[in-house]
Amino acid sequence: MSCWLPVLALSAGLGSLFSNAQVKNLQTPLDLHIAKVRAHEIDPLTARFSAACGLDVKKLTAHYGFANDQFWTWRVVGDLPKAYDLHVMHLIGTAEVWRLNQRMMVEEWNAMLDVASVSRSLYCFDLDKKLVMLDESEFRIPIDGTQRWGMHMRWSRGPKGEFVESEPFHYIGEDDQPAPIPKLTKDDRQIVVHWRRRLPAPETADGLKLPAALMGDAEKTSGPD
């Protein structure tokens, strides 16, 4: 799981302010992403990251994972859009894994719709499953219809093993494009400060806690949904 949960905890109390109907009808960047998966399209940001990772995801087969319960239980699925269409609660995780000669890239989306937050993490792992690049986006999608905004940054491992900001922090819109500084509430500013202070994690692919079969570590014990 991505390191986004501490950020969301800052606003967890917001969920009680909104009805289930409001949350159900909420359209988010994750919906846009699932629509691209359904159409067999690759997000421009995903394609750009994969090139930097040394993989061409347009020529590789993606393996899918999905989580949709309070315990964050990941399972391998064969049809990610179908699994997403059948989600039953506001806590949603999707994972797409591309592998080539032991090099691996993972795109993970996490949503807590009742607190109006959606995040995307793109991970690049080397042959030893060590994290070498991380791209993170966080979208704030207020259910009450007020201003939507997002933030983005990327880290790459430097020659001495340290992580550096290869794409510094900046605000983005739902289309991933740079956007002006939004009008932030006090809580929003606290979220931004906390988010910017995070360090790249996890150190290795095993830290994602995704199913072994999804990561190519074991044979599937049962067929995907």
Side-chain angles (χ1 to χ4, degrees):
M1 185 188 304
S2 178
C3 54
W4 60 301
L5 286 178
V7 177
L8 298 182
L10 295 172
S11 57
L14 294 176
S16 61
L17 298 177
F18 307 109
S19 69
N20 287 334
Q22 284 176 294
V23 173
K24 183 176 181 181
N25 294 325
L26 187 67
Q27 294 297 307
T28 75
L30 178 52
D31 291 302
L32 300 177
H33 175 71
I34 292 296
K36 286 185 171 65
V37 175
R38 198 188 309 274
H40 305 289
E41 298 176 0
I42 301 294
D43 287 344
L45 178 60
T46 304
R48 182 162 60 87
F49 183 86
S50 72
C53 185
L55 297 174
D56 185 352
V57 295
K58 293 181 179 180
K59 296 181 179 180
L60 299 174
T61 299
H63 304 271
Y64 301 122
F66 188 71
N68 190 218
D69 61 30
Q70 66 269 34
F71 304 109
W72 208 262
T73 307
W74 286 102
R75 54 191 174 92
V76 177
V77 296
D79 187 332
L80 182 60
K82 178 181 177 181
Y84 182 74
D85 289 344
L86 298 175
H87 73 265
V88 295
M89 65 178 302
H90 304 153
L91 182 63
I92 304 170
T94 72
E96 294 154 74
V97 180
W98 295 269
R99 304 189 300 264
L100 179 64
N101 299 328
Q102 301 305 310
R103 195 170 185 88
M104 181 165 53
M105 175 178 150
V106 179
E107 178 165 356
E108 184 177 334
W109 285 78
N110 297 298
M112 288 185 71
L113 300 183
D114 55 344
V115 295
S117 183
V118 176
S119 69
R120 169 170 50 195
S121 300
L122 290 158
Y123 304 91
C124 178
F125 298 101
D126 66 13
L127 302 184
D128 297 318
K129 294 188 177 181
K130 187 176 182 179
L131 181 67
V132 295
M133 189 166 57
L134 170 64
D135 188 289
E136 295 254 89
S137 301
E138 170 83 14
F139 300 94
R140 308 300 297 175
I141 314 295
I143 301 174
D144 61 4
T146 54
Q147 183 184 16
R148 296 181 171 210
W149 58 276
M151 46 191 172
H152 172 264
M153 63 191 306
R154 179 181 295 182
W155 297 267
S156 298
R157 193 178 291 276
K160 297 181 180 180
E162 79 288 4
F163 276 102
V164 296
E165 293 182 16
S166 50
E167 292 191 15
F169 172 93
H170 59 278
Y171 291 101
I172 57 173
E174 293 176 77
D175 57 358
D176 294 313
Q177 297 301 308
I181 299 175
K183 184 177 180 180
L184 302 176
T185 66
K186 182 178 179 180
D187 288 340
D188 289 337
R189 290 192 293 271
Q190 186 180 5
I191 288 171
V192 171
V193 169
H194 185 95
W195 197 81
R196 294 186 68 171
R197 288 176 177 171
R198 296 165 308 120
L199 296 175
E203 183 68 21
T204 68
D206 293 338
L208 292 178
K209 305 299 183 183
L210 293 172
L214 187 63
M215 307 299 276
D217 294 333
E219 294 297 323
K220 297 178 183 178
T221 57
S222 61
D225 292 353

